[in-house]
């Protein structure tokens, strides 16, 4: 299962569509996603940093604080250029730029982390 | 920065997300036949150009923070990258581009992204204001101790007031150019702001049959062996 967290509904749907046959759960804020993590652990999280309410970093802080969720890899999809920062301590395994990414970029991560 | 320009930057920030979403939605379209794939690719290309201009405007808002590093930049490489990106647009609009490099100094002191934007905006201008089948020109040459990048188009001549502003090296705010309909002068405004940041000079030469826009860049001494 893949989690997609983005306050922009259309963008979240596009990301979900690019995940192909994989089961995807979409969340529009960090709180909903955090609550869902209590019930199931995804294989991968695609998430924006600018979220309504608590931002993506607050969410990642929460995720890495629990033993089980800390192992879930996250890919940041943002229009901020964060690629020069090492965010591996937050479980971040990759960055995609919203301005330039293609569906294949998402598929690549899905293939790598869900199979 | 005056209030009007600030408002433009604010609008640009608001436009960025919907443009990126539209681009992504176009890319998500599946099961298309050949003709619709072409339409989809056009939608993506138009979004890409719009996102680039929005990003340029957002960069203007950040110039005051001095976040853009000046470094030695291979000017021909920048020109090659821009022409590669715009090749599709020239082809689509049935325009030709003639490229001539004669500069001996290969490195200039600039910020890569800002310089790329200046050349990109000049060339975009040339696409729109050159007639079908007519060549635009991209020339890079030495002028005394500077490297000059020139984009010559064969469209309507530049109005004298805009020419004067360019001669002064600084355009206060985007203004529509009467003889060049369909433009808000945004590209020239962006070029003027970025060139000022980099300490480069911009200007325009009015011809009877079009305009040459140029940017003069300082030669980088860092990698010189002699």
């Amino acid at each position: 299962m893949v989690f997609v967290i983005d306050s922009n509904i259309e963008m979240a749907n596009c990301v979900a569509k690019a995940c192909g046959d994989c089961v995807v759960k979409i969340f529009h804020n960090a709180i909903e996603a955090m609550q869902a993590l209590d019930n199931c652990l995804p294989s991968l999280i695609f998430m924006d940093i600018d979220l309504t309410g608590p931002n993506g970093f607050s969410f990642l802080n929460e995720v890495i604080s629990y033993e089980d969720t800390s192992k879930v890899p996250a890919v940041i999809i943002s229009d901020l250029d964060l690629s020069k920062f090492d965010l591996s301590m937050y479980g971040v395994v990759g960055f995609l730029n919203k301005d330039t990414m293609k569906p294949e970029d998402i598929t690549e991560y899905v293939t790598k982390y869900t199979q | 920065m005056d209030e009007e320009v600030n408002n433009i930057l604010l609008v640009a920030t608001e436009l960025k997300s919907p443009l990126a979403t539209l681009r992504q939605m176009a890319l998500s379209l599946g099961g298309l036949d050949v003709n619709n794939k072409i339409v989809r690719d056009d939608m993506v290309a138009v979004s890409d150009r719009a996102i680039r201009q929005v990003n340029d405007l957002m960069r203007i808002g950040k110039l005051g923070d001095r976040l853009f590093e000046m470094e030695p930049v291979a000017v021909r490489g920048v020109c090659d990258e821009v022409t590669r990106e715009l090749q599709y647009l020239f082809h689509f609009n049935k325009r030709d581009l003639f490229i001539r490099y004669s500069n001996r100094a290969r490195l200039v002191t600039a910020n890569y992204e800002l310089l790329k934007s200046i050349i990109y905006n000049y060339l975009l201008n040339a696409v729109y204001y050159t007639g079908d089948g007519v060549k635009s020109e991209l020339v890079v040459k030495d002028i005394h101790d500077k490297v000059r990048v020139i984009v010559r188009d064969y469209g309507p001549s530049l109005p004298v007031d805009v020419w004067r502003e360019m001669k002064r090296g600084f355009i206060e705010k985007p203004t529509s150019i009467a003889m060049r309909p369909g433009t808000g002068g945004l590209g020239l405004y962006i070029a003027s702001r970025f060139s000022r940041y980099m300490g480069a000079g911009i200007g325009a030469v009015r011809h009877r049959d079009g305009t040459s826009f140029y940017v003069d860049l300082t030669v980088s001494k860092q990698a010189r062996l002699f």
Side-chain angles (χ1 to χ4, degrees):
Chain A
M1 179 186 294
V2 172
F3 278 14
V4 175
I5 313 169
D6 198 319
S7 301
N8 179 336
I9 299 168
E10 292 89 359
M11 185 61 87
N13 287 337
C14 290
V15 174
K17 196 173 173 185
C19 291
D21 296 333
C22 202
V23 178
V24 179
K25 280 196 171 182
I26 296 177
F27 304 96
H28 300 307
N29 61 62
I31 294 170
E32 282 176 13
M34 209 58 232
Q35 286 166 347
L37 279 175
D38 291 338
N39 303 317
C40 61
L41 277 185
S43 313
L44 178 64
I45 299 172
F46 287 110
M47 56 176 292
D48 193 2
I49 287 296
D50 287 327
L51 296 170
T52 310
N55 68 18
F57 288 118
S58 305
F59 173 78
L60 287 171
N61 256 321
E62 194 71 10
V63 167
I64 57 166
S65 67
Y66 294 102
E67 189 269 335
D68 56 345
T69 56
S70 66
K71 296 185 182 69
V72 180
V75 175
I76 291 177
I77 300 181
S78 173
D79 51 9
L80 303 170
D81 183 17
L82 298 167
S83 56
K84 53 191 152 195
F85 301 107
D86 178 14
L87 295 178
S88 55
M89 67 190 79
Y90 288 99
V92 175
V93 294
F95 297 94
L96 291 174
N97 187 325
K98 275 189 181 178
D99 298 347
T100 54
M101 70 176 186
K102 294 181 174 167
E104 304 88 90
D105 302 327
I106 291 160
T107 313
E108 209 171 290
Y109 281 110
V110 172
T111 309
K112 188 171 176 186
Y113 289 100
T114 65
Q115 287 170 6
Chain B
M1 209 178 292
D2 81 12
E3 197 183 337
E4 194 178 333
V5 173
N6 266 334
N7 289 339
I8 292 170
L9 301 188
L10 196 67
V11 171
T13 312
E14 291 293 322
L15 281 175
K16 190 172 156 69
S17 175
L19 285 170
T21 307
L22 280 174
R23 177 184 177 277
Q24 216 49 237
M25 288 167 84
L27 282 167
S28 297
L29 293 171
L32 301 175
D33 62 25
V34 177
N35 287 333
N36 284 333
K37 269 187 185 155
I38 292 171
V39 174
R40 192 262 318 268
D41 291 346
D42 289 345
M43 286 166 70
V44 174
V46 170
S47 307
D48 280 341
R49 285 201 302 281
I51 289 170
R52 168 169 269 284
Q53 286 211 308
V54 165
N55 281 335
D56 280 347
L57 284 171
M58 289 172 70
R59 281 192 187 112
I60 286 174
K62 293 176 188 160
L63 289 177
D65 300 331
R66 307 298 299 176
L67 291 174
F68 302 97
E69 249 176 71
M70 298 291 284
E71 57 195 354
V73 173
V75 64
R76 292 186 186 188
V78 182
C79 291
D80 287 344
E81 196 177 324
V82 176
T83 50
R84 231 184 349 261
E85 272 183 38
L86 285 174
Q87 200 172 31
Y88 169 82
L89 193 64
F90 271 90
H91 180 73
F92 185 78
N93 286 284
K94 301 183 180 71
R95 311 287 199 257
D96 287 328
L97 180 64
F98 174 78
I99 302 170
R100 190 175 70 239
Y101 299 149
S102 63
N103 58 314
R104 287 185 63 213
R106 301 297 171 94
L107 294 176
V108 295
T109 302
N111 175 275
Y112 188 91
E113 284 303 324
L114 301 188
L115 176 57
K116 191 176 158 188
S117 287
I118 293 173
I119 300 168
Y120 185 97
N121 279 300
Y122 279 174
L123 278 173
L124 202 57
N125 213 40
V127 174
Y128 292 129
Y129 297 108
T130 296
D132 282 2
V134 179
K135 272 182 188 167
S136 300
E137 292 163 19
L138 170 64
V139 177
V140 184
K141 63 180 183 182
D142 297 313
I143 298 279
H144 308 300
D145 59 340
K146 303 267 185 189
V147 172
R148 178 170 286 185
V149 181
I150 306 163
V151 175
R152 163 81 152 107
D153 68 41
Y154 290 85
S157 190
L158 192 70
V160 72
D161 50 339
V162 181
W163 174 79
R164 267 198 216 104
E165 275 200 275
M166 288 208 70
K167 194 176 178 197
R168 210 179 57 202
F170 190 63
I171 294 173
E172 291 289 342
K173 60 180 86 165
T175 44
S176 59
I177 300 173
M179 288 154 87
R180 296 189 158 220
T183 174
L186 195 60
L188 295 182
Y189 173 71
I190 290 168
S192 112
R193 299 299 301 237
F194 288 176
S195 63
R196 176 177 260 210
Y197 179 92
M198 297 193 298
I202 57 163
V205 178
R206 299 174 83 213
H207 306 289
R208 299 282 169 202
D209 56 353
T211 308
S212 293
F213 296 95
Y214 64 83
V215 56
D216 286 340
L217 300 151
T218 307
V219 174
S220 169
K221 306 272 193 290
Q222 189 168 312
R224 279 179 70 160
L225 297 174
F226 305 103

